[in-house]
Amino acid sequence: MKLLTICITLFLLGGCAAVIQAPDTLHTTTHSKVRNQNLAYLKDFEVIGKIGFSDGKQGGNASVVWEQHPQSYQIRLYGPLGSQAIQIKGEPNRVSLTKTDGKIITANTPEALVHQELGWVIPVSGLRYWLRGLPAPGTAPKKMLLDGSNRLWQIDQQGWKIQYQAYKSIEGRDVPYKLLLTNGSIRLKFIFDRWSLGE
C-alpha cells in the first residue's frame, strides 16, 4: 500500500513536469560549473523508473525504485532477467542484497552484489551523483559538456561515459530524465520518470 501511494504521488508530480531536451550546442569545461540548483545538497530523494542493460552478450531490463538518504540508500529492482525482485541496502560499512525468497547476501560493494546476482555491471556508487546530474567525488572527470544554463549533458568519469538525453523540471529543479551509460561493450539506459525530492 505504501509503495502504491508513493507511485501515485510521483505519477502526479511527474506528469506535470516539463521535459528539457539536449541542445544542439554544448561547451566543454575542465572544472565543475555544473548548475546544481541545490541538487548538490539534495540528500533525500526517491526516483522510480526503468533500467535496460546490455553487455554485447546478454541483456535485460527492470523497473527500479531508488531511495537515497544522507547515510543510506535502498534500491529495488523488479523483473530483472526474469526474476521477481531484489532489494539492495547500503549503509556505512555494510551493503546487502535481499532476494525474493528472503535470502540475504552481503558483499564489499553494491557493484559486486549486482554482478554476482544478475551478471550486470552497474556503477551504483557513482550513480548516486550522476542520476542527479552531478559529477561523483573522488576521481576527476576526464570530460564534461554543459549547456548554456550549465546543465550537465555528458561526463566521462570512472571509466564510464554518461550522456544525459533529457531533463525534467520538478519543484524548481532540473533533474535527469533519460541517461545512457557506456563502458566498453556495456550499455545502461535509464529512464527516471518519477521523482520525489526531499531536502
Side-chain angles (χ1 to χ4, degrees):
M1 180 61 71
K2 181 181 179 182
L3 180 59
L4 177 61
T5 302
I6 291 172
C7 289
I8 292 173
T9 301
L10 295 179
F11 175 79
L12 294 174
L13 288 173
C16 300
V19 176
I20 303 166
Q21 301 291 343
D24 295 329
T25 303
L26 299 171
H27 64 273
T28 303
T29 181
T30 56
H31 57 285
S32 180
K33 289 185 177 179
V34 178
R35 173 186 181 180
N36 62 50
Q37 296 183 314
N38 295 323
L39 292 179
Y41 305 100
L42 183 62
K43 306 300 183 182
D44 288 279
F45 61 86
E46 186 172 63
V47 60
I48 297 176
K50 301 283 187 180
I51 174 176
F53 171 83
S54 173
D55 64 3
K57 297 179 180 179
Q58 64 172 345
N61 57 78
S63 297
V64 57
V65 178
W66 188 311
E67 184 178 337
Q68 183 72 48
H69 300 290
Q71 299 298 323
S72 65
Y73 60 85
Q74 180 173 276
I75 305 167
R76 297 186 294 277
L77 296 172
Y78 300 90
L81 296 179
S83 65
Q84 295 182 17
I86 64 170
Q87 179 175 270
I88 301 168
K89 287 187 177 181
E91 300 172 336
N93 304 316
R94 176 180 169 81
V95 182
S96 64
L97 181 148
T98 304
K99 303 177 70 173
T100 305
D101 60 7
K103 183 179 179 181
I104 298 176
I105 302 169
T106 61
N108 292 330
T109 66
E111 290 82 2
L113 280 174
V114 173
H115 188 263
Q116 177 180 327
E117 289 303 305
L118 302 180
W120 292 16
V121 179
I122 302 178
V124 177
S125 300
L127 266 171
R128 62 180 294 189
Y129 299 95
W130 298 332
L131 63 82
R132 286 182 286 164
L134 298 170
T139 306
K142 292 185 177 180
K143 180 179 182 181
M144 293 199 299
L145 295 179
L146 311 179
D147 65 9
S149 297
N150 287 330
R151 279 181 290 256
L152 184 63
W153 289 97
Q154 181 180 316
I155 180 170
D156 295 4
Q157 190 176 29
Q158 298 178 7
W160 290 87
K161 176 186 287 187
I162 300 94
Q163 296 171 291
Y164 296 82
Q165 299 177 328
Y167 279 82
K168 274 190 175 183
S169 183
I170 297 177
E171 299 179 20
R173 297 182 175 108
D174 296 341
V175 293
Y177 172 41
K178 294 182 180 180
L179 289 83
L180 176 64
L181 281 69
T182 55
N183 186 342
S185 61
I186 300 170
R187 291 171 58 89
L188 292 166
K189 181 68 177 285
F190 291 89
I191 299 178
F192 294 125
D193 52 359
R194 305 285 182 262
W195 281 85
S196 178
L197 307 180
E199 297 298 333

